[in-house]
Amino acid sequence: MQQAISAMEERTRAHSPNENWPFTVTQATPAIGAYVSDIDLREPLDEPAYLALRRALIRYKVLFFRDQDITPAQHVAFARRFGKLEVHPVLTHDPDHPELVVFDKSDKKRGRENIFHSDVSWREVPSMGSILRCVECPPTGGDTIWVNMAGAYENLPEDVKARLEGLRAVHDLMPLFGAALSPEQRVAVRAQNPAVTHPVVRTHPESGEKLLFVNEAFTTHFANYAEIAGYRIGFDLKLGEMDLLQYLFRQAAAPEYQVRLKWEADTIAFWDNRATQHYAVQDYYPAVRRMMRATVIGDRPV
């Protein structure tokens, strides 16, 4: 595994020259993440800046911006530059901007996002990216971790990669979000958001990278495991499926694929949901942590 990780680091360095960016980019870790400075997100992005940010996002997978005191309207305008925005069917919205999800945690409401996931992977057309701003941060704690899922796939053993060929997985919002809904709400939300299937390994539509696309929050099972693995004895089939899925979930926990951000007020993180997973660390209760997120609609995984 160390040889594979070293190879990944070499490629990261080779593909990270001092490009003529219209802003300053500082790489965060060899595997994932970069800090972007000398840019004011209150101002509309011109075409060169937009294209450069999109290239940086594809290259580094998550971008961090400090000291961006933007309004909710400016947040929406910046996010909309990258595509259409979704309205989440369950989470709380900003009253004036339904495209903005509000995460408002305190001693009265504990955070529940502490599981590796890719935002809205349960949609038939999942997210391209998410843009999260810290409005109010706890004095310490409340970090977020992002994971490079291209690296996670690349370093899988070849025999495991062979087992994943043609395999599809089911993604569902209800196991995570259903518990907070009334029975009537569950019926209504389920009617509008059925479970969907996506390839276990998807191809990034812009970089061409192969990406491991299952996550512990929303992936419930494989849709066609028996067809791919073959059937012997019932418990072999089910245990084999569970073991493989749990093995794939655990790849996100490897520090070699991760970057960790310590939030400050007016920090913004912009990440590629196709190529990453993330985990919000819930170690700050009962302190206040208030965040706002816009989510850009993406493309159907293939």
Side-chain angles (χ1 to χ4, degrees):
M1 181 177 177
Q2 184 58 48
Q3 287 182 338
I5 292 169
S6 297
M8 181 176 69
E9 291 174 352
E10 287 300 322
R11 276 193 297 279
T12 300
R13 284 191 284 268
H15 293 152
S16 301
N18 293 321
E19 184 171 334
N20 187 26
W21 306 105
F23 37 71
T24 301
V25 177
T26 305
Q27 193 168 357
T29 76
I32 180 173
Y35 291 88
V36 179
S37 55
D38 300 319
I39 186 171
D40 187 349
L41 300 186
R42 295 173 300 181
E43 301 297 327
L45 290 178
D46 60 22
E47 191 69 5
Y50 158 72
L51 292 174
L53 276 180
R54 194 162 191 119
R55 289 198 309 274
L57 180 68
I58 301 311
R59 177 178 297 174
Y60 298 108
K61 298 180 172 55
V62 56
L63 306 176
F64 306 129
F65 308 81
R66 297 287 194 190
D67 302 318
Q68 299 289 337
D69 184 13
I70 62 175
T71 66
Q74 290 165 337
H75 189 161
V76 170
F78 172 67
R80 193 170 282 140
R81 190 70 171 87
F82 293 84
K84 294 181 179 179
L85 305 185
E86 74 144 29
V87 176
H88 199 282
V90 177
L91 297 175
T92 302
H93 308 145
D94 178 82
D96 299 318
H97 302 279
E99 306 93 338
L100 287 181
V101 168
V102 177
F103 300 96
D104 203 350
K105 310 302 182 184
S106 66
D107 60 342
K108 298 178 178 60
K109 188 175 182 181
R110 186 187 292 268
R112 296 179 62 245
E113 300 84 22
N114 54 334
I115 186 169
F116 284 110
H117 64 284
S118 173
D119 289 331
V120 301
S121 72
W122 41 266
R123 289 199 185 277
E124 187 175 358
V125 179
S127 163
M128 180 281 279
S130 294
I131 300 169
L132 182 67
R133 173 176 171 248
C134 179
V135 179
E136 183 177 357
C137 302
T140 185
D143 298 354
T144 301
I145 299 166
W146 284 267
V147 188
N148 178 346
M149 299 311 294
Y153 172 75
E154 181 180 349
N155 288 320
L156 289 174
E158 292 303 318
D159 64 315
V160 175
K161 290 181 182 178
R163 294 177 66 190
L164 303 184
E165 286 289 332
L167 199 58
R168 297 182 66 84
V170 176
H171 296 244
D172 192 348
L173 88 165
M174 293 305 290
L176 190 67
F177 290 114
L181 303 176
S182 69
E184 295 76 17
Q185 289 173 323
R186 284 197 289 273
V187 171
V189 170
R190 167 55 83 211
Q192 296 297 317
N193 300 275
V196 300
T197 64
H198 296 310
V200 169
V201 179
R202 69 176 294 184
T203 301
H204 196 288
E206 298 179 70
S207 71
E209 292 176 298
K210 296 291 187 182
L211 308 158
L212 186 59
F213 197 66
V214 294
N215 68 86
E216 194 168 9
F218 301 125
T219 306
T220 57
H221 61 284
F222 295 124
N224 60 340
Y225 184 78
E227 299 169 26
I228 300 297
Y231 188 89
R232 196 180 78 85
I233 297 173
F235 58 78
D236 279 4
L237 183 72
K238 195 59 185 177
L239 289 177
E241 176 183 0
M242 293 169 61
D243 285 348
L244 179 57
L245 190 56
Q246 290 295 324
Y247 174 80
L248 298 179
F249 288 161
R250 289 196 297 273
Q251 302 309 306
E256 286 81 1
Y257 311 137
Q258 297 178 355
V259 64
R260 182 167 178 150
L261 175 68
K262 179 174 176 54
W263 290 98
E264 300 171 359
D266 296 327
T267 294
I268 291 175
F270 182 9
W271 65 92
D272 187 335
N273 270 308
R274 301 163 297 188
T276 67
Q277 292 184 34
H278 59 284
Y279 181 114
V281 182
Q282 307 294 328
D283 58 354
Y284 56 89
Y285 180 84
V288 172
R289 184 179 186 268
R290 189 165 188 269
M291 319 288 281
M292 303 184 82
R293 187 190 78 196
T295 304
V296 183
I297 297 171
D299 49 275
R300 191 186 307 273
V302 294

